[in-house]
Amino acid sequence: MQILAADNPLSHVVDHKILESNGWWILTNHMIMLCVSALLMLLIFPAMTRRYRSGEWVPTGGRNFFEAILIYLRDDVAKPLLGHDTTRFMPYLWTLFFFILFTNLLGLLPLDLLTGKLLGLNHGHGIYGTATANFYVTATLALITFVVVQVSGLMANGIGGWAKHFLGGAPWYIAPVMIPVEFLGMLIKPFALAVRLAANMTAGHILLAVIIGFVPAAFAALGTAGGFVIGAVSVISAVAINCLELFVAFLQAYLFTFLTALFISQMVTHEHDDKEHDSEDEAAHHGHPVVAEIGDAHVASKTHQM
């Protein structure tokens, strides 16, 4: 709260250097927060899978929470978009979601108050901040997603099939218009991912800092009575904003993951898969044998034999 009540609300949002060498920031608050997020993932998820490998198939405690999210992301977010390719991309999508989520949530904790006096870093301030409010961090995540999307499209369709998406199915004589538009769209998608995540995580912290900043301003301008009234309203509003920030932390991790799965699905779609599905639908209409895959189970239907 000391940081939030500072004269400059951005002081809690922007990154702060811890170690510097020849003008280069070697270690910063956001770097440490990213490392902590990665460390939490390396501690939590291997421990979960270790219990499954030991024969504990029924999840209990925290495993129920994480397994519900994992299954939801796989079955309700990725699978409707990726179909048969879901399993191949789930490690990346799961990692992306939880890395962003953990980083978002760490930014809501008062780590500055907990680590400032203990470590004495950064002129008395400790380690704090939301790394996903840093555009460099979100741009790096978006760049990784861009590479995954494009490489997946090349591997699935080849260079010729990958290049066809620049026309979007339009006739060749529309190429002078379609190719620049599709090329810009290819670059705008990761840019939008980066800006959306950074802007949303920054806006909430700035709003919270401004609301808390009303308290000392009210005491200075209105005296003790007015300060207590404004302070009470500010604290209640800050609690509500914090609850909203908790929701936004989950929402932004979900949106980044969902849009990543959507962009991948747009690039790995095979024309022969669409023709295969059309032929299966036509066969089903005429009463021919059809095998439909639903989840991991295969349901076979057989027609009347002469």
Side-chain angles (χ1 to χ4, degrees):
M1 303 298 283
Q2 295 172 353
I3 297 296
L4 291 177
D7 293 335
N8 182 10
L10 284 176
S11 63
H12 185 73
V13 177
V14 298
D15 199 6
H16 293 275
K17 64 182 178 182
I18 296 176
L19 294 177
E20 181 182 6
S21 177
N22 297 326
W24 292 89
W25 289 15
I26 306 301
L27 185 65
T28 68
N29 278 354
H30 288 175
M31 291 180 187
I32 293 180
M33 299 297 277
L34 292 172
C35 292
V36 171
S37 297
L39 180 61
L40 287 174
M41 295 178 64
L42 292 174
L43 291 176
I44 292 173
F45 295 108
M48 287 177 54
T49 57
R50 191 179 306 115
R51 298 182 69 175
Y52 283 113
R53 290 194 298 268
S54 64
E56 298 182 31
W57 297 107
V58 180
T60 57
R63 281 200 297 164
N64 274 319
F65 172 77
F66 287 107
E67 184 174 309
I69 297 177
L70 291 168
I71 293 176
Y72 171 76
L73 291 175
R74 183 192 66 189
D75 294 346
D76 296 329
V77 176
K79 197 161 192 175
L81 296 171
L82 298 174
H84 299 292
D85 294 316
T86 301
T87 303
R88 185 156 59 98
F89 292 103
M90 283 317 301
Y92 175 67
L93 296 176
W94 280 333
T95 302
L96 188 65
F97 174 84
F98 282 105
F99 183 75
I100 294 174
L101 176 63
F102 285 2
T103 307
N104 292 348
L105 294 178
L106 285 173
L108 299 178
L109 300 178
L111 297 179
D112 178 59
L113 302 179
L114 299 176
T115 60
K117 294 182 179 179
L118 179 63
L119 300 176
L121 296 174
N122 205 17
H123 304 290
H125 298 311
I127 298 168
Y128 64 93
T130 308
T132 44
N134 189 328
F135 180 75
Y136 291 105
V137 174
T138 60
T140 301
L141 294 173
L143 179 61
I144 295 173
T145 292
F146 173 79
V147 173
V148 170
V149 170
Q150 301 306 320
V151 171
S152 300
L154 286 169
M155 293 178 63
N157 303 302
I159 296 179
W162 174 83
K164 284 182 180 179
H165 87 277
F166 285 102
L167 281 176
W172 63 269
Y173 51 83
I174 307 295
V177 176
M178 289 297 299
I179 291 179
V181 170
E182 289 295 326
F183 182 77
L184 287 176
M186 183 175 66
L187 299 179
I188 289 172
K189 288 175 182 177
F191 180 76
L193 285 177
V195 171
R196 180 187 294 106
L197 179 57
N200 278 280
M201 300 313 300
T202 301
H205 287 281
I206 293 178
L207 179 60
L208 187 61
V210 171
I211 290 175
I212 295 298
F214 287 154
V215 178
F219 272 98
L222 303 177
T224 304
F228 274 112
V229 173
I230 299 298
V233 175
S234 297
V235 170
I236 294 174
S237 301
V239 172
I241 295 296
N242 257 322
C243 294
L244 180 61
E245 280 285 281
L246 181 63
F247 169 73
V248 170
F250 279 86
L251 178 63
Q252 291 304 315
Y254 165 79
L255 287 176
F256 202 105
T257 307
F258 168 75
L259 291 175
T260 297
L262 177 63
F263 297 155
I264 293 174
S265 69
Q266 292 174 343
M267 295 301 298
V268 300
T269 301
H270 298 275
E271 292 183 1
H272 64 80
D273 287 343
D274 296 334
K275 294 177 181 178
E276 181 180 350
H277 294 319
D278 293 340
S279 63
E280 288 181 354
D281 293 338
E282 184 179 358
H285 179 73
H286 290 89
H288 289 189
V290 176
V291 178
E293 182 178 349
I294 304 176
D296 295 325
H298 296 272
V299 181
S301 62
K302 196 171 184 179
T303 61
H304 177 71
Q305 297 180 352
M306 297 300 294

PDB file of all heavy atoms in Angstrom, residues 194-212:
ATOM      1  N   ALA A 194      -0.172  -9.052 -27.387  1.00  0.00           N
ATOM      2  CA  ALA A 194       0.746  -8.391 -26.466  1.00  0.00           C
ATOM      3  C   ALA A 194       0.121  -7.151 -25.846  1.00  0.00           C
ATOM      4  O   ALA A 194       0.209  -6.936 -24.634  1.00  0.00           O
ATOM      5  CB  ALA A 194       2.038  -8.028 -27.200  1.00  0.00           C
ATOM      6  N   VAL A 195      -0.523  -6.329 -26.658  1.00  0.00           N
ATOM      7  CA  VAL A 195      -1.088  -5.072 -26.165  1.00  0.00           C
ATOM      8  C   VAL A 195      -2.263  -5.347 -25.223  1.00  0.00           C
ATOM      9  O   VAL A 195      -2.390  -4.696 -24.172  1.00  0.00           O
ATOM     10  CB  VAL A 195      -1.526  -4.184 -27.340  1.00  0.00           C
ATOM     11  CG1 VAL A 195      -2.308  -2.984 -26.849  1.00  0.00           C
ATOM     12  CG2 VAL A 195      -0.312  -3.730 -28.137  1.00  0.00           C
ATOM     13  N   ARG A 196      -3.120  -6.297 -25.568  1.00  0.00           N
ATOM     14  CA  ARG A 196      -4.288  -6.584 -24.733  1.00  0.00           C
ATOM     15  C   ARG A 196      -3.875  -7.001 -23.331  1.00  0.00           C
ATOM     16  O   ARG A 196      -4.414  -6.497 -22.334  1.00  0.00           O
ATOM     17  CB  ARG A 196      -5.146  -7.674 -25.379  1.00  0.00           C
ATOM     18  CG  ARG A 196      -6.387  -8.037 -24.557  1.00  0.00           C
ATOM     19  CD  ARG A 196      -7.132  -9.217 -25.128  1.00  0.00           C
ATOM     20  NE  ARG A 196      -7.707  -8.914 -26.421  1.00  0.00           N
ATOM     21  CZ  ARG A 196      -7.234  -9.367 -27.576  1.00  0.00           C
ATOM     22  NH1 ARG A 196      -6.155 -10.152 -27.593  1.00  0.00           N
ATOM     23  NH2 ARG A 196      -7.806  -9.051 -28.702  1.00  0.00           N
ATOM     24  N   LEU A 197      -2.945  -7.934 -23.229  1.00  0.00           N
ATOM     25  CA  LEU A 197      -2.533  -8.423 -21.918  1.00  0.00           C
ATOM     26  C   LEU A 197      -1.839  -7.332 -21.112  1.00  0.00           C
ATOM     27  O   LEU A 197      -2.162  -7.114 -19.940  1.00  0.00           O
ATOM     28  CB  LEU A 197      -1.611  -9.629 -22.087  1.00  0.00           C
ATOM     29  CG  LEU A 197      -1.067 -10.258 -20.805  1.00  0.00           C
ATOM     30  CD1 LEU A 197      -2.195 -10.682 -19.883  1.00  0.00           C
ATOM     31  CD2 LEU A 197      -0.178 -11.448 -21.131  1.00  0.00           C
ATOM     32  N   ALA A 198      -0.892  -6.625 -21.725  1.00  0.00           N
ATOM     33  CA  ALA A 198      -0.158  -5.585 -21.000  1.00  0.00           C
ATOM     34  C   ALA A 198      -1.075  -4.448 -20.578  1.00  0.00           C
ATOM     35  O   ALA A 198      -0.986  -3.954 -19.439  1.00  0.00           O
ATOM     36  CB  ALA A 198       0.980  -5.053 -21.873  1.00  0.00           C
ATOM     37  N   ALA A 199      -1.967  -4.022 -21.461  1.00  0.00           N
ATOM     38  CA  ALA A 199      -2.849  -2.892 -21.144  1.00  0.00           C
ATOM     39  C   ALA A 199      -3.815  -3.237 -20.016  1.00  0.00           C
ATOM     40  O   ALA A 199      -4.049  -2.417 -19.117  1.00  0.00           O
ATOM     41  CB  ALA A 199      -3.614  -2.478 -22.397  1.00  0.00           C
ATOM     42  N   ASN A 200      -4.394  -4.415 -20.055  1.00  0.00           N
ATOM     43  CA  ASN A 200      -5.353  -4.790 -19.018  1.00  0.00           C
ATOM     44  C   ASN A 200      -4.689  -4.939 -17.656  1.00  0.00           C
ATOM     45  O   ASN A 200      -5.257  -4.538 -16.635  1.00  0.00           O
ATOM     46  CB  ASN A 200      -6.048  -6.101 -19.401  1.00  0.00           C
ATOM     47  CG  ASN A 200      -7.193  -5.892 -20.361  1.00  0.00           C
ATOM     48  OD1 ASN A 200      -8.296  -5.522 -19.972  1.00  0.00           O
ATOM     49  ND2 ASN A 200      -6.931  -6.097 -21.642  1.00  0.00           N
ATOM     50  N   MET A 201      -3.498  -5.517 -17.617  1.00  0.00           N
ATOM     51  CA  MET A 201      -2.823  -5.683 -16.337  1.00  0.00           C
ATOM     52  C   MET A 201      -2.283  -4.357 -15.812  1.00  0.00           C
ATOM     53  O   MET A 201      -2.153  -4.166 -14.613  1.00  0.00           O
ATOM     54  CB  MET A 201      -1.686  -6.702 -16.471  1.00  0.00           C
ATOM     55  CG  MET A 201      -2.146  -8.082 -16.911  1.00  0.00           C
ATOM     56  SD  MET A 201      -3.586  -8.707 -16.011  1.00  0.00           S
ATOM     57  CE  MET A 201      -2.991  -8.740 -14.339  1.00  0.00           C
ATOM     58  N   THR A 202      -1.967  -3.423 -16.698  1.00  0.00           N
ATOM     59  CA  THR A 202      -1.494  -2.111 -16.262  1.00  0.00           C
ATOM     60  C   THR A 202      -2.640  -1.245 -15.767  1.00  0.00           C
ATOM     61  O   THR A 202      -2.520  -0.562 -14.741  1.00  0.00           O
ATOM     62  CB  THR A 202      -0.769  -1.392 -17.420  1.00  0.00           C
ATOM     63  OG1 THR A 202       0.331  -2.192 -17.859  1.00  0.00           O
ATOM     64  CG2 THR A 202      -0.259  -0.032 -16.979  1.00  0.00           C
ATOM     65  N   ALA A 203      -3.766  -1.273 -16.467  1.00  0.00           N
ATOM     66  CA  ALA A 203      -4.883  -0.385 -16.143  1.00  0.00           C
ATOM     67  C   ALA A 203      -5.416  -0.632 -14.737  1.00  0.00           C
ATOM     68  O   ALA A 203      -5.700   0.321 -13.994  1.00  0.00           O
ATOM     69  CB  ALA A 203      -5.997  -0.571 -17.173  1.00  0.00           C
ATOM     70  N   GLY A 204      -5.561  -1.886 -14.362  1.00  0.00           N
ATOM     71  CA  GLY A 204      -6.100  -2.185 -13.043  1.00  0.00           C
ATOM     72  C   GLY A 204      -5.215  -1.677 -11.925  1.00  0.00           C
ATOM     73  O   GLY A 204      -5.702  -1.131 -10.921  1.00  0.00           O
ATOM     74  N   HIS A 205      -3.911  -1.831 -12.074  1.00  0.00           N
ATOM     75  CA  HIS A 205      -2.981  -1.378 -11.030  1.00  0.00           C
ATOM     76  C   HIS A 205      -2.944   0.141 -10.951  1.00  0.00           C
ATOM     77  O   HIS A 205      -2.852   0.705  -9.845  1.00  0.00           O
ATOM     78  CB  HIS A 205      -1.579  -1.926 -11.302  1.00  0.00           C
ATOM     79  CG  HIS A 205      -1.461  -3.393 -11.031  1.00  0.00           C
ATOM     80  ND1 HIS A 205      -1.311  -3.910  -9.766  1.00  0.00           N
ATOM     81  CD2 HIS A 205      -1.492  -4.457 -11.859  1.00  0.00           C
ATOM     82  CE1 HIS A 205      -1.229  -5.226  -9.825  1.00  0.00           C
ATOM     83  NE2 HIS A 205      -1.351  -5.590 -11.084  1.00  0.00           N
ATOM     84  N   ILE A 206      -3.022   0.822 -12.081  1.00  0.00           N
ATOM     85  CA  ILE A 206      -3.048   2.283 -12.053  1.00  0.00           C
ATOM     86  C   ILE A 206      -4.319   2.782 -11.376  1.00  0.00           C
ATOM     87  O   ILE A 206      -4.286   3.709 -10.542  1.00  0.00           O
ATOM     88  CB  ILE A 206      -2.927   2.845 -13.477  1.00  0.00           C
ATOM     89  CG1 ILE A 206      -1.538   2.549 -14.053  1.00  0.00           C
ATOM     90  CG2 ILE A 206      -3.189   4.345 -13.491  1.00  0.00           C
ATOM     91  CD1 ILE A 206      -1.353   3.018 -15.470  1.00  0.00           C
ATOM     92  N   LEU A 207      -5.458   2.177 -11.711  1.00  0.00           N
ATOM     93  CA  LEU A 207      -6.720   2.567 -11.090  1.00  0.00           C
ATOM     94  C   LEU A 207      -6.677   2.355  -9.582  1.00  0.00           C
ATOM     95  O   LEU A 207      -7.115   3.212  -8.800  1.00  0.00           O
ATOM     96  CB  LEU A 207      -7.862   1.766 -11.710  1.00  0.00           C
ATOM     97  CG  LEU A 207      -9.268   2.027 -11.149  1.00  0.00           C
ATOM     98  CD1 LEU A 207      -9.644   3.494 -11.332  1.00  0.00           C
ATOM     99  CD2 LEU A 207     -10.286   1.119 -11.822  1.00  0.00           C
ATOM    100  N   LEU A 208      -6.131   1.219  -9.168  1.00  0.00           N
ATOM    101  CA  LEU A 208      -6.023   0.929  -7.739  1.00  0.00           C
ATOM    102  C   LEU A 208      -5.109   1.936  -7.044  1.00  0.00           C
ATOM    103  O   LEU A 208      -5.406   2.412  -5.936  1.00  0.00           O
ATOM    104  CB  LEU A 208      -5.488  -0.491  -7.547  1.00  0.00           C
ATOM    105  CG  LEU A 208      -5.468  -1.048  -6.122  1.00  0.00           C
ATOM    106  CD1 LEU A 208      -6.875  -1.112  -5.559  1.00  0.00           C
ATOM    107  CD2 LEU A 208      -4.835  -2.429  -6.115  1.00  0.00           C
ATOM    108  N   ALA A 209      -4.011   2.281  -7.686  1.00  0.00           N
ATOM    109  CA  ALA A 209      -3.084   3.247  -7.098  1.00  0.00           C
ATOM    110  C   ALA A 209      -3.719   4.623  -6.973  1.00  0.00           C
ATOM    111  O   ALA A 209      -3.536   5.326  -5.971  1.00  0.00           O
ATOM    112  CB  ALA A 209      -1.817   3.331  -7.940  1.00  0.00           C
ATOM    113  N   VAL A 210      -4.488   5.032  -7.976  1.00  0.00           N
ATOM    114  CA  VAL A 210      -5.139   6.341  -7.938  1.00  0.00           C
ATOM    115  C   VAL A 210      -6.178   6.388  -6.824  1.00  0.00           C
ATOM    116  O   VAL A 210      -6.280   7.387  -6.085  1.00  0.00           O
ATOM    117  CB  VAL A 210      -5.775   6.654  -9.306  1.00  0.00           C
ATOM    118  CG1 VAL A 210      -6.648   7.892  -9.216  1.00  0.00           C
ATOM    119  CG2 VAL A 210      -4.690   6.860 -10.355  1.00  0.00           C
ATOM    120  N   ILE A 211      -6.957   5.304  -6.681  1.00  0.00           N
ATOM    121  CA  ILE A 211      -7.988   5.277  -5.637  1.00  0.00           C
ATOM    122  C   ILE A 211      -7.366   5.370  -4.251  1.00  0.00           C
ATOM    123  O   ILE A 211      -7.816   6.136  -3.389  1.00  0.00           O
ATOM    124  CB  ILE A 211      -8.844   4.001  -5.779  1.00  0.00           C
ATOM    125  CG1 ILE A 211      -9.706   4.092  -7.039  1.00  0.00           C
ATOM    126  CG2 ILE A 211      -9.732   3.804  -4.551  1.00  0.00           C
ATOM    127  CD1 ILE A 211     -10.504   2.839  -7.331  1.00  0.00           C
ATOM    128  N   ILE A 212      -6.309   4.597  -4.000  1.00  0.00           N
ATOM    129  CA  ILE A 212      -5.631   4.662  -2.716  1.00  0.00           C
ATOM    130  C   ILE A 212      -4.967   6.021  -2.516  1.00  0.00           C
ATOM    131  O   ILE A 212      -4.887   6.545  -1.396  1.00  0.00           O
ATOM    132  CB  ILE A 212      -4.586   3.538  -2.594  1.00  0.00           C
ATOM    133  CG1 ILE A 212      -5.278   2.180  -2.602  1.00  0.00           C
ATOM    134  CG2 ILE A 212      -3.762   3.679  -1.331  1.00  0.00           C
ATOM    135  CD1 ILE A 212      -6.233   1.958  -1.460  1.00  0.00           C
TER     136      ILE A 212
END
